[in-house]
Amino acid sequence: MANVILTSQQLETLVPRRYQEEVFTRAQKGNIIAALNTGSGKTLISLLLIKWTIAKEQSKGKVIIFLVPKVTLVEQQSNYIDTNTPDSIRVMKLHGALDVDLSDRAGWKKRFEEHEVFVMTAQIFLNILTHSVWSIDKVSLMIFDECHHARKNHPYNGIMREYFHVPSSRRPKIFGMTASPIWNVKDPGGSLATLEQHMDAKVIGVRDHIEELVDHSPKPIEVIEEYPLPPEEYAYPFPTIYLCLQIFEKTLWDQLEIPWSKIEMRYFSTLYNLGPYCASLFLYLEIQHHLTNLFAEYQKYLYPVDGDMVVDIPSSTPAKRIPLEIFDIDDIVSDFRSFFSSDDCPAQIPIPIPLAWCSPKVESLVKVLLKYSSPTFQGIIFVEQRQVASTLGRLLEAVPELQGTIRCAHLVGQGVNSEGVSKHSDRYQGDAVKLFRDKEINILIATSVAEEGLDFPASRIACDLVVRFDPLQHLVGYVQSRGRARNKASTFIIMIQKDDLAQLTRYKALQEGEPEINRAYQTRHLNTDDDLDDDDDDMNDLVDLAERERYVVPSTGAILSYDNAINLIHHLCALIPRDAFTPPHQPTFTGYFQSTMRLPPSLPLPPRHLSYLGPPKRSKKEARRAVAFCAVKRLCKLDVFDDYLLPISSQAHEADKQRVTHVRNVPAIMTVSVRDPWCMGSKLWIHPIFIDGCQVAGLVTGTKLPPVDVLAASSHVRSGMAELLVFHEDVEFEERKIMHDFTKLGIWYRITSSPFVSATSLFLIPLTSDNQPDFHTMTRLVDNPWGQGDWDSITEDDYDRRIVMSTYERGRTYLLRKIRDDLSPMSVPPRGSLQAAFPTYQEYFVNKWTRKNRKAIVPVGGPLLEAAIHPKSHLGSYSLYPINADTIATPSNAEVRLLPQGCTRLIDLSFNLCRAFEALPVICRRFTDVYRVQCGRFELGLPLITENLLIEAFTLPSSKPSCNNQRMETLGDAVLQICTTVHLLNAYPNRHEGQLSELRSQLVSNNYLLARAKDVGLEHFLTSEVETVYKWRYALLDDGNDEGPRDPPKRYAEREFPRRSLQDCMEAVLAASFLTGGISMALETGTALGLAFGGPHPWWRRYPPSAPPTAVSALFEGLETSLGYKFHHSHLILEAVTHPSFSSSSGGPSYQRLEFLGDALLDLVVIKYLYDKFPSATSHELAYPRTRTICAQTLAHVAVKRLGLHNIMLVNCPSLTMAINGYVPMLRAASSEEIVNQGWKYDPPKALSDVFESVMGAIFVDTGYDYDKTASVVEYVMEDVLSVLSPSLTKDPVSDLLEWAGKAGCRKVVFGKEAKSTGKFQTEGVTVSVHGNIVVGPIFSTSLPVAKYAAAERAMAMLKDGETDKSLAHLCDCGKHMETDNTGPASVEDGAKLNNVFDEELDAEDAAEVDRIMTTDIS
């Protein structure tokens, strides 16, 4: 069925003109290129096409791609489409400046689902296709703005090459827009044919409504403005800045890395074009720009000479020698400052510029501007070079003849151009195009960036004048620049040098040939059999294009082509980690028509995979593309690139090779059904309960529970084997009700503050000698819930064993201590007693218990009872380990009172049953914990982890038991790191440290752990309940008094806890398994939980040695002695001491991959040492000493002082060697205590800590990944450092200062940066201020973090000194404000109160983040 063609009137849109409707109608029928003049409304046609396409049924699930060649057009076109379409059409804009992450596949999927139209640069879409983020068959319409660029290797052409690989039935519609479809005026037919072939579309013009088109896209008046040749000499002040700078040798400029030759070439070009002042202005700005950068680079090696404000430490960064001539250059530039730059506005020329200092060409331009200027005048001047645009823009405002008339800004391309010429700014800040549209400026001086596509509507902007300042080079430039003049009265001026016949002839040819060229495409539809030869520009590489290969990754559809191969190689190399002493990693190409490419040796590849020879080609560029294509294809097979052709993926499932659940929609607080054994079913089970060996009761519930034992305060409680409870058939309901009522009464008496109405999910009952329910005993209590008054059976044996209750104090129970036959209600209270205010005890009790509507009746006869208040059981949790056990309140320390026997009732609950009910919360908690652990172990497939350890791992901090998973989570984080690291290191042998680090960060991230926890259902086994006497937790799910059987029983309970709990529990379970069975059990556990550990098998079996043992060089014998370990494989220790600078020059692997392994190894060894040594330390108390132990300063200290690694490191970088040698004496002299407590004072080269980590990693590999053996070596080497660690380790000065000030109530302690000049240099130091008053600083150092710590240390001393005006008491008034202003921010003390509400400690990840913030550079 043919598509229904809609007219534009049927679409909700702007009203199109008839010629636009004509083109739109033809676009509906097929792929076309609309060749229409600038300003004729091509974008409106594309808008009509967008709406029409979206309305089509076959467009569902597809998107529309609007492609532009330049970033500036992304903003313009996306705003136009977004403004003129309904809200239902969602538009997204994309370009490089928006930091597009192509590895975020979930994010891209969401973008494509939530938007219908994408406006982007062509390169972005080509990258999307390359990495299979989206595919062309999921696009319904592709619009190409300025589509004449679809030639050679432009991204437009790359996109269309992929388009042709899609079956024709699945291809999107193509709509191209251009005002210049022809590049080659000598062969217009060939140019059109090439464009049509590349775009799979026909070039069309308007046929039926040409008059209307001409009327709405008028051409400006074209005028030739001739100017004379520039003179040989100018009347310009001598000497010029150029002559002054010529005294310096070229070698100096090269040493300073200033591209003098290119600057000089542009200087002469500007001199010829604009005259001596603009040429000198350009030179001044350019040299000043380079000097500013040089001084900024050198200033980190210098600081002011004020010794008191300097922390003098050796630099850990490579120092550069500062050529003294740089000061001479700066002096010369400074001498000319008053000539080129105003102090008030550096971008403004400070003096009037006479035309005698300008070229004749500029004089002619000034005359043109004067001639056409008016109060509403606006114009554009097109130039070829960016330095011409920037200097001309400054000059025109300084010409006296134009002052008050001209307001200029310039528009050039993004960034610094390829020749190193900087992008200068003008006096008007902001977007030049917006300034022009808003008429803040009236002259826009632009390079070719403004020729294409930038829209200046004639209805809003009266662009009266367009000047082509530099010669026209081609038809596209002529048509596009002229098209910016859209008013009927506009003028297009072409500036041509007098007597320049070649330039005049070229212009005439373009002017006269344009109508003929237009006819070529306007009548194109009549000549369907024209020769389709390509234009001359593409003829040279036709054979090469025909020979090009293309590779599609089968699993993902990612595309490798000649167009993207070199970019992929450069991206891979840019990600290789390097320190300040290692140059950037780049591939090298040699050869011309057959290229050889060598990859950086830092890539962990065998030598044969570091060098590639490409096939012969017909150009040097094509040869490079070919060899890069071959290399990437091979690297894909080596797994250096993933299946999406990305060297690094940000998606965990791509690193894990498993599907990962998306957790974006998991709420912060989850409602979860957790396993819970407490239920009532048709079958009930009796579990005998023993306290200190004596059977005291039976616990009945609908789940057969395993035997448990638990320490409840000072008593040992255990349960026996469960037995099925057999009811008498006719009275089952009555028996259940008796047990239910009895249990509720016992809970009320001994646990809760008040009775509860819900049906209980368990019964605690007395048992007969044959372990059956003692219904007789239960009935006595149920029949007398308020007690009974028969005191005849009470003997002294019942003292301290029977509970009583006052008839006027319902709910409060007492423990009977003694019957006082010597006292009666009518006795006189002794003097000084509580009752002494009344004549008798009877009157005291009447007064005490009488209420407004009820008078108490107290018999005058009978004895008084001596009774102790029997507090409710406070046992809600228990200790997994016999540490700091709680004690049950005993009568000896309870308050004793006198009660009249006539108002007191005996509760028929035996001493043993009282003990049973008091221990019931602990018993239930233990049963719950064991039940969840056993369910979790079975359902998750976990190995036999020690029961108590697994209970601890499953227990959340919010439940506030004596043991929760916070400490374990800290240890488990390190277990997760090492298991993931070993797997990645072996699974990806050809990936460098940067790639491995990114993969590891994904596989240990909170989102990944949360996803895996959700996948296995870990949340169903976690314990979050808080035991409380105010509410009985063990009740049936729904309210009511239905105690009948429920089948099937519901063995779960609804709970709420934070989703973060799942991530922490994953790590805690790993720690529990590691503590039970070491790394082997941790691997089994991680595999069961779905983590990327490479499987459950032990490492020694999985990763056998790859090479036979080899003898170690004599160079390393001393190291082996210091380590107490003898290597079996010499290549490992050689790799471990090889710095990247050495491997880059000599080949072979560097230490980076082993460092990656050693980093994770040290983390686990240190945290396990702390975990064992300090069993009562919190997670935060463990995290801080760990951070101090594995920081760069501490490891460098051990590397130098204990192992002497600086003597055997293989380094090929003199500046690194000098930096290391500068630090060695300091590290040797420092003690372990100084390094751990004051490590902030040191900033050694990172290479020292890196090589220590790599040596430890090498030992780990050499032992066959024997963790225990390696850990013993690490602890031996680091014993001096480990011995000084403690949970109360001294904090760094920054943390210490902020915490101390916070406790004092001050919220206004601020670290800042302040610059200080030293000659030509600006050096930044650190200040500390309180309430805006600088207390210390600026403090300077070669290391800004060291300066920050030093400033904090000095500030602390000054703020504590109450004798000075810089004391905290003198400067801070926060306390006064807190007293009077209750609406202000909470104080530190307030925060402490809030913390008590959420009594969770910092976990390892939080503590590390706090440490990172505290040690972050203040910039």
Side-chain angles (χ1 to χ4, degrees):
M1 179 178 176
N3 291 337
V4 178
I5 299 176
L6 304 176
T7 65
S8 58
Q9 285 80 2
Q10 293 173 289
L11 300 170
E12 295 180 6
T13 183
L14 304 175
V15 178
R17 302 183 183 104
R18 287 176 296 172
Y19 70 85
Q20 292 171 319
E21 192 175 66
E22 175 190 333
V23 175
F24 168 56
T25 302
R26 294 169 71 182
Q28 291 175 285
K29 298 177 180 178
N31 296 346
I32 66 166
I33 298 169
L36 301 174
N37 290 336
T38 302
S40 57
K42 297 185 290 294
T43 307
L44 176 57
I45 301 173
S46 71
L47 187 65
L48 298 173
L49 201 56
I50 287 171
K51 293 185 177 182
W52 175 77
T53 303
I54 289 175
K56 291 166 64 72
E57 182 67 27
Q58 53 265 47
S59 297
K60 288 186 176 179
K62 297 184 178 183
V63 298
I64 293 173
I65 303 295
F66 194 119
L67 299 170
V68 298
K70 297 179 181 178
V71 172
T72 49
L73 296 179
V74 174
E75 300 288 340
Q76 175 181 298
Q77 301 292 39
S78 63
N79 291 340
Y80 177 82
I81 297 171
D82 198 29
T83 303
N84 295 292
T85 52
D87 292 340
S88 58
I89 298 179
R90 297 162 294 183
V91 182
M92 186 172 196
K93 57 188 175 185
L94 297 167
H95 54 75
L98 297 177
D99 192 21
V100 177
D101 179 11
L102 293 173
S103 63
D104 181 13
R105 312 197 74 78
W108 278 104
K109 183 175 183 291
K110 184 178 180 182
R111 289 187 188 102
F112 281 113
E113 288 174 349
E114 295 179 352
H115 297 85
E116 287 74 36
V117 181
F118 289 81
V119 182
M120 65 182 82
T121 52
Q123 188 61 55
I124 293 288
F125 189 56
L126 188 57
N127 293 342
I128 286 173
L129 297 177
T130 295
H131 300 294
S132 193
V133 174
W134 203 250
S135 57
I136 288 181
D137 60 348
K138 296 178 183 177
V139 178
S140 57
L141 170 66
M142 282 200 298
I143 300 171
F144 292 79
D145 195 9
E146 309 297 345
C147 67
H148 53 268
H149 288 290
R151 53 198 298 273
K152 293 194 173 182
N153 292 298
H154 191 277
Y156 276 0
N157 227 12
I159 292 168
M160 289 308 299
R161 289 187 188 117
E162 298 307 322
Y163 165 91
F164 285 112
H165 285 283
V166 177
S168 57
S169 61
R170 297 164 60 190
R171 294 175 185 170
K173 178 178 285 295
I174 300 295
F175 180 64
M177 302 186 294
T178 181
S180 316
I182 296 172
W183 274 89
N184 188 353
V185 295
K186 297 179 181 178
D187 183 15
S191 292
L192 289 172
T194 299
L195 182 61
E196 290 181 334
Q197 184 179 13
H198 289 178
M199 292 292 297
D200 192 30
K202 288 294 181 183
V203 179
I204 70 162
V206 174
R207 290 182 298 178
D208 301 331
H209 305 91
I210 295 177
E211 296 82 2
E212 185 188 38
L213 172 63
V214 172
D215 186 54
H216 286 91
S217 54
K219 291 183 180 179
I221 302 167
E222 297 189 29
V223 177
I224 296 175
E225 178 68 27
E226 290 190 336
Y227 59 89
L229 280 165
E232 293 185 4
E233 293 185 3
Y234 287 90
Y236 187 72
F238 182 87
T240 63
I241 188 174
Y242 172 74
L243 292 175
C244 295
L245 293 173
Q246 262 195 317
I247 64 173
F248 300 105
E249 298 291 337
K250 183 179 183 301
T251 53
L252 173 64
W253 299 110
D254 293 342
Q255 183 182 354
L256 295 174
E257 298 180 356
I258 296 177
W260 176 256
S261 297
K262 294 176 179 177
I263 294 173
E264 188 177 39
M265 180 180 66
R266 290 196 169 250
Y267 168 80
F268 283 115
S269 173
T270 310
L271 175 64
Y272 184 85
N273 216 5
L274 303 180
Y277 182 83
C278 283
S280 300
L281 174 61
F282 157 70
L283 192 57
Y284 167 82
L285 294 172
E286 198 63 25
I287 299 302
Q288 184 188 56
H289 166 77
H290 286 286
L291 287 177
T292 301
N293 291 341
L294 285 170
F295 286 143
E297 182 179 356
Y298 288 135
Q299 75 179 15
K300 54 189 162 195
Y301 309 112
L302 299 175
Y303 37 74
V305 295
D306 184 357
D308 291 338
M309 291 293 112
V310 174
V311 183
D312 192 7
I313 62 169
S315 174
S316 63
T317 55
K320 290 187 177 181
R321 188 183 71 82
I322 304 175
L324 297 180
E325 293 86 349
I326 192 174
F327 298 100
D328 297 328
I329 296 173
D330 185 66
D331 287 340
I332 291 172
V333 172
S334 298
D335 289 341
F336 283 90
R337 182 171 294 117
S338 62
F339 206 55
F340 298 117
S341 179
S342 169
D343 292 335
D344 297 332
C345 180
Q348 184 176 2
I349 294 175
I351 59 174
I353 306 302
L355 290 176
W357 293 358
C358 305
S359 68
K361 189 176 182 180
V362 173
E363 290 187 52
S364 298
L365 176 63
V366 170
K367 293 177 183 177
V368 168
L369 295 176
L370 287 171
K371 178 180 177 181
Y372 290 94
S373 65
S374 69
T376 59
F377 159 82
Q378 282 191 284
I380 303 175
I381 302 172
F382 283 104
V383 299
E384 288 294 319
Q385 296 179 324
R386 65 170 60 202
Q387 88 275 5
V388 172
S390 64
T391 55
L392 185 59
R394 296 186 183 209
L395 171 74
L396 291 178
E397 291 191 347
V399 173
E401 289 83 350
L402 296 177
Q403 283 186 352
T405 304
I406 298 301
R407 303 182 305 279
C408 289
H410 66 273
L411 176 65
V412 296
Q414 298 291 318
V416 176
N417 75 6
S418 59
E419 297 178 350
V421 179
S422 64
K423 177 182 176 181
H424 306 136
S425 62
D426 47 49
R427 61 179 294 196
Y428 297 96
Q429 301 300 315
D431 182 359
V433 175
K434 185 176 185 301
L435 290 170
F436 190 69
R437 286 178 176 151
D438 295 342
K439 300 186 180 182
E440 295 289 326
I441 60 173
N442 56 10
I443 289 292
L444 181 66
I445 303 174
T447 56
S448 60
V449 70
E451 286 181 355
E452 297 183 351
L454 285 180
D455 186 28
F456 301 116
S459 60
R460 290 180 53 223
I461 299 175
C463 193
D464 310 276
L465 181 68
V466 173
V467 178
R468 188 76 200 194
F469 189 73
D470 288 328
L472 289 164
Q473 303 297 335
H474 47 69
L475 180 62
V476 173
Y478 169 59
V479 173
Q480 294 285 2
S481 57
R482 186 191 64 192
R484 299 310 111 195
R486 300 184 179 180
N487 284 344
K488 294 182 179 180
S490 296
T491 303
F492 180 51
I493 292 181
I494 301 93
M495 299 192 69
I496 298 177
Q497 186 173 289
K498 191 175 183 180
D499 299 328
D500 188 343
L501 296 178
Q503 189 178 345
L504 183 62
T505 302
R506 185 185 302 116
Y507 165 65
K508 292 293 186 183
L510 294 174
Q511 186 184 44
E512 294 170 1
E514 186 187 9
E516 185 63 31
I517 291 171
N518 289 344
R519 280 193 291 274
Y521 62 78
Q522 288 171 348
T523 60
R524 185 95 183 130
H525 61 284
L526 301 176
N527 304 318
T528 55
D529 298 325
D530 285 353
D531 184 13
L532 297 181
D533 290 340
D534 284 349
D535 61 57
D536 293 340
D537 289 338
D538 284 348
M539 284 294 289
N540 293 333
D541 55 11
L542 278 178
V543 179
D544 279 341
L545 286 173
E547 293 177 351
R548 283 188 171 186
E549 299 176 72
R550 180 175 178 270
Y551 173 69
V552 179
V553 180
S555 60
T556 63
I559 301 164
L560 171 64
S561 67
Y562 276 42
D563 294 316
N564 58 29
I566 291 180
N567 286 339
L568 292 174
I569 289 291
H570 280 292
H571 183 40
L572 170 67
C573 294
L575 295 172
I576 302 174
R578 65 184 186 91
D579 56 23
F581 300 93
T582 307
H585 301 284
Q586 294 179 341
T588 58
F589 294 89
T590 56
Y592 287 91
F593 300 107
Q594 186 173 20
S595 184
T596 298
M597 183 183 72
R598 298 185 186 279
L599 295 172
S602 293
L603 285 172
L605 295 169
R608 67 181 184 279
H609 295 313
L610 290 173
S611 181
Y612 296 88
L613 177 66
K617 294 295 176 182
R618 290 159 185 81
S619 71
K620 183 178 179 180
K621 288 184 178 180
E622 190 72 6
R624 289 188 173 188
R625 296 187 193 105
V627 70
F629 177 88
C630 297
V632 175
K633 191 173 180 180
R634 180 59 185 159
L635 293 174
C636 287
K637 297 185 184 302
L638 294 173
D639 206 22
V640 176
F641 289 96
D642 67 11
D643 289 344
Y644 293 94
L645 296 180
L646 291 166
I648 286 180
S649 171
S650 66
Q651 302 301 299
H653 71 86
E654 292 166 17
D656 194 7
K657 306 297 184 185
Q658 302 180 50
R659 181 182 174 276
V660 176
T661 301
H662 291 300
V663 295
R664 186 183 297 112
N665 297 324
V666 177
I669 302 297
M670 302 186 301
T671 301
V672 179
S673 297
V674 298
R675 299 288 182 268
D676 202 69
W678 309 109
C679 60
M680 287 292 161
S682 58
K683 292 183 178 179
L684 296 180
W685 300 84
I686 297 179
H687 307 80
I689 302 298
F690 300 85
I691 297 180
D692 294 331
C694 175
Q695 180 171 312
V696 294
L699 189 145
V700 179
T701 189
T703 302
K704 184 179 181 181
L705 298 171
V708 299
D709 62 89
V710 62
L711 187 67
S714 58
S715 300
H716 178 256
V717 183
R718 67 177 180 87
S719 67
M721 295 298 296
E723 297 181 13
L724 184 65
L725 175 58
V726 179
F727 289 98
H728 297 91
E729 186 173 344
D730 296 336
V731 292
E732 178 179 349
F733 177 80
E734 290 78 5
E735 290 179 342
R736 283 179 179 261
K737 181 169 178 52
I738 290 174
M739 290 189 293
H740 175 264
D741 292 345
F742 177 85
T743 301
K744 291 177 70 172
L745 286 172
I747 292 171
W748 176 44
Y749 294 148
R750 299 305 310 126
I751 300 172
T752 63
S753 300
S754 58
F756 64 97
V757 297
S758 299
T760 182
S761 56
L762 58 88
F763 305 144
L764 187 68
I765 60 174
L767 298 180
T768 62
S769 58
D770 56 353
N771 281 347
Q772 292 301 307
D774 186 348
F775 289 105
H776 176 70
T777 299
M778 287 186 278
T779 301
R780 287 206 317 268
L781 180 68
V782 170
D783 288 345
N784 298 282
W786 306 108
Q788 49 89 14
D790 181 10
W791 292 88
D792 295 339
S793 61
I794 299 301
T795 67
E796 292 184 2
D797 293 338
D798 294 310
Y799 293 172
D800 292 328
R801 298 178 66 88
R802 293 294 299 270
I803 60 175
V804 297
M805 183 186 299
S806 168
T807 55
Y808 292 105
E809 293 179 305
R810 298 292 175 89
R812 170 174 286 180
T813 56
Y814 293 86
L815 189 65
L816 179 64
R817 298 290 300 277
K818 190 177 181 182
I819 298 177
R820 296 290 300 270
D821 291 316
D822 58 324
L823 295 176
S824 73
M826 298 306 294
S827 298
V828 178
R831 184 175 299 176
S833 67
L834 181 66
Q835 300 88 353
F838 297 89
T840 63
Y841 284 107
Q842 193 259 0
E843 291 184 51
Y844 165 77
F845 288 119
V846 169
N847 180 75
K848 179 180 178 181
W849 291 334
T850 295
R851 296 293 178 265
K852 184 176 181 180
N853 299 320
R854 182 207 64 196
K855 183 175 181 180
I857 299 175
V858 178
V860 297
L864 296 182
L865 306 178
E866 191 175 293
I869 294 177
H870 203 17
K872 305 289 185 178
S873 173
H874 65 280
L875 296 176
S877 60
Y878 63 93
S879 175
L880 291 170
Y881 314 105
I883 301 174
N884 296 325
D886 296 324
T887 58
I888 300 177
T890 61
S892 59
N893 57 17
E895 180 184 350
V896 178
R897 296 182 179 179
L898 294 175
L899 299 174
Q901 186 187 68
C903 296
T904 306
R905 314 285 287 177
L906 280 166
I907 302 299
D908 226 330
L909 200 63
S910 69
F911 176 73
N912 281 338
L913 282 171
C914 283
R915 295 182 69 194
F917 275 107
E918 289 166 4
L920 182 59
V922 169
I923 297 170
C924 293
R925 180 71 176 234
R926 181 64 178 179
F927 268 129
T928 304
D929 290 343
V930 172
Y931 177 77
R932 287 177 182 166
V933 161
Q934 293 191 354
C935 289
R937 184 183 288 136
F938 174 75
E939 295 181 40
L940 299 176
L942 299 177
L944 291 175
I945 302 171
T946 301
E947 192 169 79
N948 279 352
L949 289 175
L950 199 52
I951 289 173
E952 186 176 345
F954 280 175
T955 304
L956 306 187
S958 58
S959 64
K960 298 183 181 178
S962 56
C963 291
N964 60 61
N965 63 18
Q966 287 278 282
R967 272 173 51 88
M968 277 194 172
E969 183 264 329
T970 305
L971 175 62
D973 175 71
V975 176
L976 173 67
Q977 294 274 351
I978 189 66
C979 293
T980 304
T981 298
V982 172
H983 165 59
L984 292 176
L985 195 75
N986 289 276
Y988 300 98
N990 297 322
R991 297 200 180 186
H992 58 68
E993 183 201 358
Q995 293 172 293
L996 295 176
S997 296
E998 180 63 29
L999 288 173
R1000 181 172 66 186
S1001 67
Q1002 297 157 19
L1003 295 176
V1004 302
S1005 68
N1006 284 337
N1007 278 347
Y1008 178 74
L1009 294 177
L1010 176 59
R1012 283 289 175 246
K1014 291 291 292 180
D1015 287 340
V1016 299
L1018 180 65
E1019 68 270 24
H1020 300 301
F1021 311 101
L1022 306 188
T1023 295
S1024 62
E1025 297 91 346
V1026 179
E1027 300 296 342
T1028 172
V1029 298
Y1030 298 106
K1031 183 178 180 181
W1032 180 246
R1033 184 176 76 77
Y1034 304 97
L1036 294 179
L1037 290 178
D1038 51 349
D1039 293 333
N1041 294 311
D1042 179 13
E1043 299 85 22
R1046 303 178 183 209
D1047 283 314
K1050 297 178 179 179
R1051 295 187 175 93
Y1052 62 83
E1054 297 293 326
R1055 299 288 181 260
E1056 290 186 348
F1057 46 78
R1059 68 180 180 188
R1060 172 66 186 271
S1061 304
L1062 289 183
Q1063 298 133 217
D1064 294 346
C1065 284
M1066 288 284 281
E1067 293 172 333
V1069 172
L1070 287 177
S1073 64
F1074 176 70
L1075 292 170
T1076 301
I1079 288 291
S1080 297
M1081 185 172 284
L1083 292 173
E1084 295 180 50
T1085 301
T1087 303
L1089 295 175
L1091 300 175
F1093 285 4
H1097 302 300
W1099 289 329
W1100 61 266
R1101 183 183 299 169
R1102 236 191 294 174
Y1103 311 123
S1106 57
T1110 53
V1112 176
S1113 166
L1115 174 66
F1116 306 118
E1117 290 179 355
L1119 175 61
E1120 289 183 321
T1121 302
S1122 299
L1123 288 168
Y1125 178 81
K1126 190 170 183 62
F1127 280 91
H1128 303 89
H1129 300 89
S1130 60
H1131 73 280
L1132 288 173
I1133 186 59
L1134 181 63
E1135 180 180 339
V1137 299
T1138 303
H1139 186 264
S1141 65
F1142 190 89
S1143 67
S1144 296
S1145 58
S1146 61
S1150 70
Y1151 61 51
Q1152 290 177 322
R1153 280 171 56 89
L1154 288 175
E1155 174 210 338
F1156 170 73
L1157 175 63
D1159 171 69
L1161 171 70
L1162 291 174
D1163 192 24
L1164 178 57
V1165 172
V1166 172
I1167 198 63
K1168 178 62 164 59
Y1169 172 87
L1170 294 168
Y1171 189 93
D1172 292 340
K1173 185 176 180 180
F1174 305 108
S1176 60
T1178 66
S1179 59
H1180 183 50
E1181 291 171 336
L1182 295 176
Y1184 186 74
R1186 175 187 64 176
T1187 301
R1188 297 308 313 151
T1189 308
I1190 60 177
C1191 67
Q1193 296 93 329
T1194 304
L1195 299 184
H1197 167 76
V1198 179
V1200 169
K1201 190 168 185 176
R1202 183 66 184 259
L1203 301 181
L1205 290 176
H1206 60 287
N1207 293 320
I1208 58 177
M1209 281 181 66
L1210 301 179
V1211 178
N1212 188 19
C1213 179
S1215 57
L1216 174 58
T1217 303
M1218 291 174 60
I1220 290 175
N1221 291 339
Y1223 252 100
V1224 165
M1226 297 176 63
L1227 294 172
R1228 280 178 171 168
S1231 66
S1232 297
E1233 292 83 357
E1234 290 173 333
I1235 284 291
V1236 171
N1237 290 313
Q1238 296 184 316
W1240 58 267
K1241 292 184 177 180
Y1242 303 85
D1243 187 24
K1246 186 175 179 292
L1248 287 172
S1249 57
D1250 289 349
V1251 75
F1252 179 81
E1253 291 175 333
S1254 65
V1255 169
M1256 296 302 109
I1259 295 173
F1260 195 23
V1261 178
D1262 194 66
T1263 62
Y1265 297 100
D1266 187 327
Y1267 171 77
D1268 294 327
K1269 184 181 292 185
T1270 308
S1272 66
V1273 175
V1274 174
E1275 290 185 17
Y1276 169 70
V1277 171
M1278 300 187 70
E1279 59 183 349
D1280 292 340
V1281 171
L1282 294 174
S1283 64
V1284 303
L1285 300 180
S1286 74
S1288 57
L1289 202 63
T1290 304
K1291 288 186 170 60
D1292 62 80
V1294 173
S1295 303
D1296 206 20
L1297 172 62
L1298 294 177
E1299 288 186 14
W1300 174 78
K1303 288 177 181 178
C1306 183
R1307 308 183 297 272
K1308 300 292 185 180
V1309 178
V1310 177
F1311 288 87
K1313 288 193 297 185
E1314 183 173 312
K1316 188 170 183 179
S1317 297
T1318 306
K1320 302 299 180 183
F1321 297 95
Q1322 285 282 329
T1323 307
E1324 285 186 333
V1326 179
T1327 63
V1328 180
S1329 61
V1330 175
H1331 289 270
N1333 301 294
I1334 293 181
V1335 177
V1336 167
I1339 302 295
F1340 300 94
S1341 174
T1342 54
S1343 168
L1344 204 58
V1346 171
K1348 179 181 179 182
Y1349 288 123
E1353 187 179 53
R1354 298 185 189 186
M1356 183 76 149
M1358 297 191 71
L1359 291 170
K1360 283 185 173 181
D1361 186 356
E1363 301 298 323
T1364 71
D1365 59 356
K1366 290 188 176 181
S1367 68
L1368 187 65
H1370 181 78
L1371 295 176
C1372 178
D1373 59 356
C1374 291
K1376 297 177 182 178
H1377 289 308
M1378 284 190 290
E1379 291 173 6
T1380 59
D1381 182 9
N1382 294 327
T1383 62
S1387 67
V1388 174
E1389 290 81 357
D1390 295 332
K1393 295 175 185 176
L1394 291 175
N1395 287 337
N1396 294 331
V1397 179
F1398 302 100
D1399 194 20
E1400 295 190 18
E1401 302 156 0
L1402 286 174
D1403 64 11
E1405 189 170 332
D1406 294 332
E1409 176 68 9
V1410 170
D1411 185 67
R1412 183 192 69 75
I1413 293 171
M1414 298 306 301
T1415 57
T1416 295
D1417 184 289
I1418 59 175
S1419 58

